[in-house]
């Protein structure tokens, strides 16, 4: 028996990956035939918002999690990427590289490919033996940096997803199914008799009412639920881009995704327009604000429209870019920005009811920089959480309180940096 079913109304706040796929899962599940009872509210009239984590050219999709729970989930998601979502998936393969300090981590990741059930027919993972073998994966016309001399393996399984387009498609599918989308910024929860009964918006103090409110606001979630300000910490991550010439694009077009174990740098193949994106998966920057350890500061924040990144973040990106593609490091960045993770110390997502409010407020957030690859399955998982049917092993890690015994690996090689107003380029 579902906990929520027609005629109860559901309000989902936020239409990034989490919110849009939750709407879709409910519309295909308990609300099939009653999709008009689901409303999605987003700050943007054309969600996801341009400063949302899901609004991006590309995100890595891979299944090599050393934690078997995530590995199984990622494997399930990969089936979805090769099926319903294949239009947005580029299975270019992934190279994982490591300097001595990161080899043990990379080895563990490599071994996952050979666990029962993880093999993919026709796709193999293999260790690369030296510079020439690494070079062969990129093609002779692509000059490589010193990383090519390090430990490396190549996995044909995995690649990247067109994030903004895939999320827009989830929104379009939900809309086509009959879900109502509205534009507005939720300012606060409306609470009556210990139950959340809706939200009030900033624009005109309209109240949206519902029997269940699902918050999928990514890194903005603590603005509505301040008790999550530390457990869903907004952290800014530096991202850079270079624009290839048509000649460079031709030479680089078939390169794999490249990742570096134990410093978090990763770089994508060029997009269809020759744009190469690179970033660092680390603890990142904090933007302390009154009463909050950090809140997102994006190109939509007043005074930061140009979205400059801190000088030391720029230097770090450049150093790592030079170590992979020295030729591209000589080009100017065509753009750079801070992209905001919704981080939990455990690195686990938060997919659970708020402990107060009598089961009327559900939170779907805490992507911790690695949730996009789960787009084909995350909405279904959130629906299970709402309906109380989520398998116990997932409830154990996605609960409202982080498990203290689980600590994200980034704490091993990175530290928080405070983002000060004067640290712009
Ligand atoms: C730089 C970067 C790189 C990443 N790389 C990868 C990767 O390679 N692979 C991977 O698997 N994952 C990656 N991730 C993680 C992944 O992108 C996120 O986990 C995922 O996109 C989060 O989706 P979301 O729906 O929770 O949040 P978001 O996409 O941020 O969406 C939140 C939505 O809520 C709306 N909203 C917020 N507040 C309100 C409000 N008060 N009222 C109304 N609407 C509101 C916003 O407008 C927005 O549309 C990366 C993340 C970042 C930032």
């Amino acid at each position: 028996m579902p906990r929520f079913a027609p005629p109860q109304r559901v309000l989902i706040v936020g239409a990034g990956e989490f919110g849009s796929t939750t709407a879709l899962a409910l519309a295909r599940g308990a609300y099939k035939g009653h999709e008009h009872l689901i409303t999605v509210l987003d700050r943007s009239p054309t969600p996801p918002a341009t400063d949302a984590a899901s609004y991006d050219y590309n995100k890595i999709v891979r299944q090599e999690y050393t934690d078997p729970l995530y590995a199984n989930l990622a494997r399930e998601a990969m089936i979805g990427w090769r099926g319903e979502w294949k239009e947005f998936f580029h299975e270019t393969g992934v190279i994982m590289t490591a300097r001595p300090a990161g080899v043990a981590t990379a080895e563990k990741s490599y071994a996952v490919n050979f666990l029962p059930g993880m093999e993919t027919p026709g796709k193999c993972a293999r260790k690369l033996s030296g510079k020439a073998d690494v070079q062969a994966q990129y093609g002779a016309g692509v000059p490589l940096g010193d990383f090519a001399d390090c430990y490396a393996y190549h996995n044909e399984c995995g690649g990247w997803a067109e994030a903004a387009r895939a999320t827009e498609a989830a929104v379009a599918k939900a809309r086509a199914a009959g879900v109502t989308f509205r534009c507005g910024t939720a300012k606060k929860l409306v609470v009556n008799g210990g139950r959340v009964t809706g939200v009030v918006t900033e624009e005109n103090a309209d109240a949206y009412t519902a029997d269940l409110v699902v918050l999928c606001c990514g890194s903005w979630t603590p603005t509505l639920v301040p008790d999550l300000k530390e457990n869903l910490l907004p952290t800014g991550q530096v991202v850079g881009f270079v624009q290839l010439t048509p000649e460079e694009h031709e030479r680089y077009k078939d390169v794999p995704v490249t990742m570096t174990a134990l410093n978090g740098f990763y770089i994508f193949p060029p997009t269809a327009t020759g744009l190469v994106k690179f970033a660092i998966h680390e603890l990142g920057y904090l933007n302390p604000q009154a009463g909050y350890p950090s809140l997102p500061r994006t190109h939509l924040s007043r005074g930061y429209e140009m979205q400059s990144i801190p000088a030391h973040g720029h230097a770090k990106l450049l150093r790592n870019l030079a170590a992979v593609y020295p030729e591209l490091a000589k080009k100017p960045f065509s753009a750079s920005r801070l992209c905001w993770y919704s981080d939990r110390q455990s690195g686990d997502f938060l997919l659970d009811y708020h402990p107060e409010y009598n089961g009327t407020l559900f939170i779907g957030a805490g992507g911790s920089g690695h949730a996009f690859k789960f787009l084909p399955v995350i909405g279904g998982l959130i629906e299970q959480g709402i309906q109380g049917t989520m398998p116990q092993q997932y409830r154990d890690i996605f609960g409202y309180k982080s498990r203290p015994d689980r600590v994200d690996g980034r704490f091993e090689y990175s530290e928080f940096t405070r983002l000060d107003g004067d640290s712009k380029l």
Side-chain angles (χ1 to χ4, degrees):
M1 188 63 182
R3 280 195 197 170
F4 282 90
Q8 290 169 300
R9 292 157 308 148
V10 179
L11 174 67
I12 300 169
V13 185
E17 174 207 355
F18 281 48
S20 60
T21 58
T22 300
L24 193 56
L26 287 168
R28 289 174 174 176
Y31 281 77
K32 194 169 170 53
H34 304 270
E35 299 84 357
H36 63 287
L37 296 171
I38 308 167
T39 300
V40 180
L41 179 71
D42 198 281
R43 291 151 67 231
S44 169
T46 53
T50 55
D51 57 353
S54 307
Y55 189 87
D56 207 346
Y57 295 99
N58 32 32
K59 302 284 189 198
I60 298 173
V61 173
R62 54 198 289 269
Q63 63 184 31
E64 292 160 315
Y65 279 87
T66 48
D67 181 328
L69 288 178
Y70 281 103
N72 286 331
L73 208 53
R75 170 121 190 105
E76 217 183 294
M78 194 77 98
I79 293 167
W81 284 116
R82 294 190 187 116
E84 179 177 1
W85 305 91
K86 66 172 185 283
E87 182 186 345
F88 311 106
F89 183 40
H90 301 262
E91 197 153 15
T92 56
V94 180
I95 297 258
M96 171 70 88
T97 167
R99 289 174 195 288
V103 171
T105 306
E107 280 283 2
K108 276 193 212 154
S109 172
Y110 178 71
V112 172
N113 293 297
F114 305 98
L115 294 175
M118 292 303 286
E119 302 91 350
T120 305
K123 308 241 173 248
C124 79
R126 80 175 175 88
K127 286 186 195 167
L128 302 176
S129 52
K131 199 168 180 174
D133 203 4
V134 173
Q135 184 73 56
Q137 312 307 316
Y138 290 82
V142 175
L144 296 180
D146 57 4
F147 90 98
D149 272 335
C150 305
Y151 170 97
Y153 73 81
H154 178 235
N155 193 354
E156 292 173 342
C157 179
W160 59 280
E162 293 180 51
R165 283 191 65 223
T167 311
E168 284 159 0
V171 169
K173 283 170 192 260
R175 209 190 286 271
V179 172
T180 307
F181 281 78
R182 293 275 181 257
C183 176
T185 304
K187 188 168 69 178
K188 70 178 175 79
L189 302 173
V190 178
V191 182
N192 285 306
R195 300 172 75 81
V196 173
T197 57
V199 299
V200 178
T201 59
E202 262 175 20
E203 292 77 10
N204 50 15
D206 266 352
Y208 285 83
T209 55
D211 300 291
L212 170 69
V213 173
V214 184
L215 292 187
C216 293
C217 299
S219 54
W220 291 272
T221 309
T223 62
L224 291 165
V225 188
D227 65 62
L228 286 172
K229 64 187 175 188
E230 265 137 17
N231 197 15
L232 280 185
L233 186 67
T235 64
Q237 312 285 332
V238 286
V239 182
F241 301 86
V242 291
Q243 177 64 55
L244 303 189
T245 63
E247 182 277 323
E248 289 164 342
H249 190 185
E250 185 55 32
R251 281 191 287 119
Y252 282 80
K253 69 179 179 4
D254 295 324
V255 302
V257 171
T258 303
M259 300 177 62
T260 321
L262 267 202
N263 91 353
F265 181 78
Y266 57 97
I267 182 161
F268 291 88
T271 64
T273 60
L275 200 60
V276 173
K277 183 185 120 179
F278 40 92
I280 307 176
H281 177 65
E282 58 182 351
L283 289 180
Y285 291 87
L286 299 178
N287 178 38
Q289 297 292 302
Y292 291 88
S294 182
L295 284 178
R297 189 188 92 184
T298 75
H299 69 273
L300 299 182
S301 307
R302 195 180 293 260
Y304 293 96
E305 292 79 2
M306 299 310 289
Q307 256 288 26
S308 312
I309 57 173
H312 45 316
H314 185 281
K316 209 170 185 180
L317 281 175
L318 191 59
R319 204 166 52 243
N320 281 285
L321 176 60
V324 178
Y325 296 131
E327 179 185 39
L328 302 190
K330 293 185 187 129
K331 294 172 76 76
F333 285 14
S334 57
S336 62
R337 65 188 166 89
L338 283 171
C339 181
W340 290 81
Y341 287 1
S342 168
D343 251 336
R344 296 223 293 171
Q345 184 162 1
S346 62
D348 296 321
F349 317 142
L350 197 178
L351 314 177
D352 198 4
Y353 281 98
H354 193 286
E356 295 163 26
Y357 309 120
N358 293 305
T360 53
L361 180 66
F362 192 91
I363 317 282
S368 301
H370 68 110
F372 199 82
K373 63 183 67 63
F374 299 100
L375 177 140
V377 298
I378 200 89
L381 208 53
I382 293 175
E383 190 200 15
Q384 287 181 343
I386 290 170
Q387 304 298 20
T389 57
M390 185 187 282
Q392 186 61 44
Q393 72 266 31
Y394 293 128
R395 288 171 55 193
D396 278 349
I397 59 170
F398 299 144
Y400 197 80
K401 284 199 175 141
S402 284
R403 284 237 321 250
D405 58 316
R406 294 174 65 87
V407 179
D408 192 285
R410 282 174 288 157
F411 283 89
E412 287 171 27
Y413 64 82
S414 154
E415 56 187 33
F416 289 113
T417 311
R418 202 182 145 110
L419 186 64
D420 292 312
D422 62 356
S423 62
K424 291 190 284 177
L425 273 179

